[in-house]
Amino acid sequence: MDVVRTPFDPSGDGSVKALSELELDGGTYVWAAGEAGTLIAARRWLRNESPVAREAVKVDGYWKQGLADRDHHAPIDPNDAE
């Protein structure tokens, strides 16, 4: 099991880079958590470009910078209602 931590990066590029450097395949399960806005790029990459099955990806935005009481079950990507 790999645990990867990335520094805060509002663009989310650091998370995508870290994920793309892992040896992911169709048998991989990915759970990612962090600030909601920074996870959008990683979630899109995981769902659209990675070899990981969509049902094996769970991305939770537990907080949103500048927003109090955010529901972490709410979709993080405004273009995708999950």
Side-chain angles (χ1 to χ4, degrees):
M1 173 173 62
D2 291 319
V3 175
V4 178
R5 293 182 182 155
T6 59
F8 181 75
D9 171 10
S11 73
D13 292 341
S15 296
V16 173
K17 182 178 185 302
L19 286 165
S20 67
E21 292 173 351
L22 295 173
E23 293 182 23
L24 305 175
D25 60 33
T28 301
Y29 181 84
V30 176
W31 175 74
E35 195 279 333
T38 66
L39 292 172
I40 293 171
R43 183 174 179 276
R44 287 179 181 171
W45 184 84
L46 284 163
R47 295 188 71 171
N48 300 318
E49 298 176 43
S50 81
V52 179
R54 287 183 124 201
E55 55 275 358
V57 172
K58 178 66 175 156
V59 179
D60 283 320
Y62 282 99
W63 69 93
K64 176 106 176 117
Q65 189 170 4
L67 179 65
D69 299 322
R70 182 187 182 281
D71 176 7
H72 79 90
H73 296 289
I76 63 170
D77 189 340
N79 296 324
D80 188 343
E82 278 198 53

